[in-house]
Amino acid sequence: TQLLKQSPQFLSIQEGENLTVYCNSSSVFSSLQWYRQEPGEGPVLLVTVVTGGEVKKLKRLTFQFGDARKDSSLHITAAQPGDTGLYLCAGENNNDMRFGAGTRLTVKP
Amino acid sequence: DAGITQSPRHKVTETGTPVTLRCHQTENHRYMYWYRQDPGHGLRLIHYSYGVKDTDKGEVSDGYSVSRSKTEDFLLTLESATSSQTSVYFCAISESWGAEDHFGPGTRLTVT
């Protein structure tokens, strides 16, 4: 059973489209991270959010932490083929770190 | 790129044999972690270390042991490998708990 549920599992879109992926849990987290992973490589940290309601922007990526610190979303504006990858969320609480299974995004040119 | 390497990058071994994977960092980070990644499960924490000779269990620690005799090295040992331990293993480091700053490139282990 996945403590962190990510949706959708798979997403295939055309270049230029916008998209949102979600990370949901019934547990409260002290902090939540988003990573991007490419085939054959380790995950790369994109952002850490720690405050309920927090919004962080990284170029075309917008990350939001839910008010109750149980969920998060990642919105990508005008997706590009270089955004293709596996997006993972991870939550930390009480020295316990859990990852979601990820959303595999494909952006077609 | 952060200075974190894993060795070997690929290994095939037989059931029942011992296997040791090595993680080496040049960042002097306090925390080091071992994860395994399997389809449908995401990344699951095996063990972590918060200092030299200080380690603790993660979510899936059964069948694994770790050691950290130096700040820069964190070893993961499978005492007697089983087919269920076929996976991709990632090492990660961080300066503080709960935000793995950098992951290694991974080790693909196949147990036949």
Side-chain angles (χ1 to χ4, degrees):
Chain A
T1 302
Q2 211 64 41
L3 191 63
L4 279 163
K5 186 171 174 60
Q6 291 191 242
S7 60
Q9 276 188 282
F10 301 94
L11 185 59
S12 180
I13 62 171
Q14 291 295 135
E15 181 176 3
E17 292 183 3
N18 301 332
L19 66 111
T20 302
V21 297
Y22 301 92
C23 175
N24 295 299
S25 176
S26 57
S27 300
V28 176
F29 294 106
S30 301
S31 69
L32 192 140
Q33 289 78 40
W34 282 94
Y35 297 83
R36 186 166 76 96
Q37 184 179 21
E38 299 193 32
E41 298 182 9
V44 175
L45 180 65
L46 298 174
V47 77
T48 297
V49 287
V50 296
T51 305
E54 182 177 3
V55 176
K56 281 193 173 179
K57 293 192 174 185
L58 186 67
K59 296 183 181 179
R60 292 176 294 100
L61 278 61
T62 302
F63 305 86
Q64 183 159 11
F65 201 13
D67 290 341
R69 305 205 318 276
K70 294 182 179 181
D71 49 72
S72 181
S73 63
L74 160 59
H75 181 79
I76 301 179
T77 303
Q80 299 175 0
D83 295 326
T84 293
L86 179 67
Y87 288 82
L88 297 162
C89 67
E92 180 272 323
N93 198 33
N94 292 332
N95 284 359
D96 187 25
M97 191 75 176
R98 299 296 177 106
F99 277 77
T103 292
R104 191 166 295 281
L105 172 65
T106 302
V107 182
K108 301 176 185 176
Chain B
D1 286 346
I4 176 170
T5 57
Q6 293 183 229
S7 59
R9 294 293 315 279
H10 301 271
K11 186 169 182 66
V12 179
T13 192
E14 293 184 348
T15 299
T17 60
V19 176
T20 295
L21 309 183
R22 179 178 182 245
C23 177
H24 178 79
Q25 60 144 333
T26 58
E27 303 297 314
N28 201 36
H29 281 9
R30 177 182 176 190
Y31 291 87
M32 297 185 77
Y33 313 79
W34 276 108
Y35 283 89
R36 60 178 289 173
Q37 186 173 32
D38 305 288
H41 289 279
L43 284 147
R44 291 180 291 176
L45 182 62
I46 303 171
H47 281 280
Y48 66 95
S49 169
Y50 49 97
V52 173
K53 296 186 180 177
D54 291 325
T55 65
D56 207 347
K57 296 179 179 181
E59 180 187 357
V60 291
S61 59
D62 287 348
Y64 302 94
S65 62
V66 291
S67 66
R68 192 170 179 197
S69 58
K70 297 185 290 185
T71 298
E72 56 266 34
D73 290 325
F74 193 31
L75 304 181
L76 176 71
T77 298
L78 291 64
E79 300 290 349
S80 178
T82 67
S83 58
S84 65
Q85 294 175 312
T86 292
S87 187
V88 181
Y89 291 85
F90 288 98
C91 175
I93 60 175
S94 67
E95 291 186 285
S96 60
W97 169 262
E100 279 75 326
D101 299 321
H102 301 288
F103 278 80
T107 295
R108 182 173 294 276
L109 176 67
T110 302
V111 183
T112 60

